[in-house]
Amino acid sequence: MEDFIKTAVSDQADFAFTLSEPYFEPMLKVGDTVAFKNAKDIEVGEYGIFLIEGKPVLRQKGNGVIRSMNPDVPDHPIDENVICVGKLLGKLYKSPEELFQ
C-alpha cells in the first residue's frame, strides 16, 4: 500500500485492487483502488470480494445470495462455487486532496 496515503483503511488492509467494472457506481467508480481484509466470511449487508468459479467479483452479501449494486446484474446464490476471500474496507487515496473530492 506504499503508493497510497496512510489512513485507517490502508493500515488494516491485507490486499487491494483497482476496479475495472462499474458494478458499484456511484459508490465506487472504475479506476478506484479498494482495500480488503482477508476474511473467509462476512456479515449480511457487508461488501466483500468473492470468487465465483475462480473469478473475483466485488459484491454485497445478502441472505443466501451475493448481489451487485448494478440492477442489470442478477443476484448469485451462495453455493459451493462461491468463496469469500475478503471484506471491503474502503477506498485508498493517493493524495490528501482525493479525500475531499
Side-chain angles (χ1 to χ4, degrees), residues 30-67:
V30 171
D32 285 348
T33 301
V34 290
F36 296 88
K37 184 84 175 154
N38 290 331
K40 293 183 179 183
D41 195 16
I42 60 174
E43 298 295 322
V44 170
E46 291 182 325
Y47 297 91
I49 185 80
F50 297 86
L51 298 178
I52 299 177
E53 297 179 1
K55 179 185 175 200
V57 295
L58 177 60
R59 298 289 189 270
Q60 181 183 38
K61 184 176 179 181
N63 288 313
V65 298
I66 56 173
R67 60 178 52 100

Side-chain angles (χ1 to χ4, degrees), residues 1 4-16 33-37 87-93 99:
M1 312 298 154
F4 299 94
I5 63 171
K6 186 177 174 89
T7 65
V9 168
S10 65
D11 283 350
Q12 296 178 49
D14 291 318
F15 64 99
T33 301
V34 290
F36 296 88
K37 184 84 175 154
K87 176 182 174 178
L88 176 66
L89 298 175
K91 183 177 170 183
L92 296 176
Y93 299 93
L99 290 167

Side-chain angles (χ1 to χ4, degrees), residues 63-84:
N63 288 313
V65 298
I66 56 173
R67 60 178 52 100
S68 169
M69 296 283 291
N70 182 334
D72 295 330
V73 176
D75 291 350
H76 191 287
I78 297 174
D79 59 21
E80 67 277 355
N81 295 315
V82 176
I83 300 168
C84 181

